[in-house]
Amino acid sequence: MRVVIVTESFPPDVNGVAHCALQTARHLVDRGHSPLVVAPATAAGTGPGADALAPCPVIRVPSLPLPGYPQVRVALPSRRVAAAIVEHRADVVHLASPFVLGVRGMAAAARLGIPAVAVYQTDLAGYARTYMGAGEAAAWRRIRSVHSAADLTLAPSSPALRDLEAHGVPRVRLWPRGVDTARFRPELRDEALRRELAPNGELIVGYVGRLAPEKQVELLAGVCALDGVRVVVVGDGPSRPSLDQALPGAVFLGRRTGDELARIFASLDVFAHTGPFETFCQTVQEAMASGVPVVAPAAGGPLDLVAHGRTGLLVPPRDPDAVRDAVWSLAADPGLRTAFGTAARATVEGRTWAAVGDQLIGHYANVLAERRTVVAA
């Protein structure tokens, strides 16, 4: 199968869309298929070696940084998308979180009569509320317009699927995300690292992710005030300067990836996620694979991932006192932390990228079969 993955983000970007697009490309190659990635150019440009570690060819489209959030690049109008689809002789066009570049991919696929599978990954309506204080209805109109043009929309969680259907998006199916259970595992717990992060033996509570307004990391302020607790923040983004003031005593490690990130995850005592707009929340799943109990908002993707009272605790969204109290209850009970962490690891052991990648290939096959049936009729 020849697949063109049109994605709004791709490594070296570090975010859920980029990671999922990379894992999709890897799995397609592993299964003998032929993917091609089309993505915005990075800040470093597209010189030799820029995508040397990619599992397949990558075509970069000129882009500009998003005003106020330079880590996010927005693709400029380009004929490269349609040309790439034609030259690759695509059987399917995969649209990863279509918004700007993906819309052009959708239009090109429609003109060429090639089926398109759109992967919903970003809560644009939630972002509209966060950054503009309004515009949620307009964001849903945009989402509905884009995804209604696809042969199939894949939602990463059951709450996301329900939101899409409630707002009139047709032909929606569930497709979750995988986790690398070989990389993220409890055995990587590092006592030397723990002493470095918490020299007085404090309980370590970690957050991993982008530092941006929609993530609401400032909700960890109450956790910072708990006796015997050290908050560790991994990630970068536009909220970094303000969080220095909001989270006194927290350790900021910046962006970490790969095996280093896995070692940090496994060395936490509790993982706390604060953002209420997650369509999935990959970092929650990576913490669970690392055998770490989770505190997360009872909204969006975490509702599918965290079994309240078994693998972690779900708390009301945007409630700093609830976050603090949940962390404190785990801090006071080492046996409960161990039980939650053990159950969390067991829960995700079957959620490999290979398993969910095969599900994706099944969705492609179904779309192609439906197209053939329509043509034959």
Side-chain angles (χ1 to χ4, degrees), residues 60-278:
R60 295 286 184 173
V61 174
S63 68
L64 291 174
L66 186 67
Y69 200 158
Q71 293 92 341
V72 176
R73 310 277 306 180
V74 178
L76 296 172
S78 173
R79 297 179 180 177
R80 294 184 187 179
V81 181
I85 294 171
V86 171
E87 292 171 10
H88 195 63
R89 295 179 287 112
D91 299 305
V92 174
V93 175
H94 173 119
L95 305 162
S97 195
F99 181 62
V100 176
L101 190 61
V103 170
R104 298 185 190 117
M106 186 89 73
R111 288 196 307 271
L112 296 166
I114 299 170
V117 174
V119 179
Y120 176 69
Q121 290 181 254
T122 305
D123 183 359
L124 296 176
Y127 285 19
R129 289 197 301 273
T130 300
Y131 287 96
M132 297 182 288
E136 184 177 358
W140 273 114
R141 284 195 297 271
R142 172 76 168 182
I143 292 167
R144 184 167 53 249
S145 172
V146 171
H147 285 269
S148 293
D151 291 71
L152 179 66
T153 287
L154 298 176
S157 63
S158 52
L161 186 148
R162 289 192 294 268
D163 279 349
L164 290 165
E165 291 184 333
H167 287 88
V169 177
R171 301 179 297 280
V172 185
R173 296 290 183 272
L174 183 65
W175 181 55
R177 301 292 175 268
V179 63
D180 187 342
T181 53
R183 167 166 281 169
F184 296 98
R185 61 189 193 276
E187 294 80 10
L188 295 178
R189 189 175 179 88
D190 186 328
E191 294 302 327
L193 174 62
R194 287 178 53 79
R195 287 192 296 272
E196 179 183 335
L197 297 174
N200 297 315
E202 298 94 335
L203 181 104
I204 301 176
V205 178
Y207 167 86
V208 178
R210 285 185 293 113
L211 307 184
E214 73 274 7
K215 299 298 184 180
Q216 300 186 4
V217 186
E218 65 277 3
L219 293 175
L220 294 175
V223 178
C224 289
L226 293 174
D227 289 338
V229 171
R230 174 75 71 185
V231 172
V232 173
V233 178
V234 180
D236 201 1
S239 294
R240 173 68 170 84
S242 64
L243 289 172
D244 275 332
Q245 302 299 317
L247 304 179
V251 177
F252 290 86
L253 296 180
R255 194 180 82 173
R256 303 297 174 94
T257 60
D259 293 341
E260 183 181 22
L261 177 61
R263 186 167 60 99
I264 294 170
F265 262 120
S267 300
L268 302 176
D269 295 301
V270 177
F271 178 77
H273 187 78
T274 49
F277 304 123
E278 303 296 335

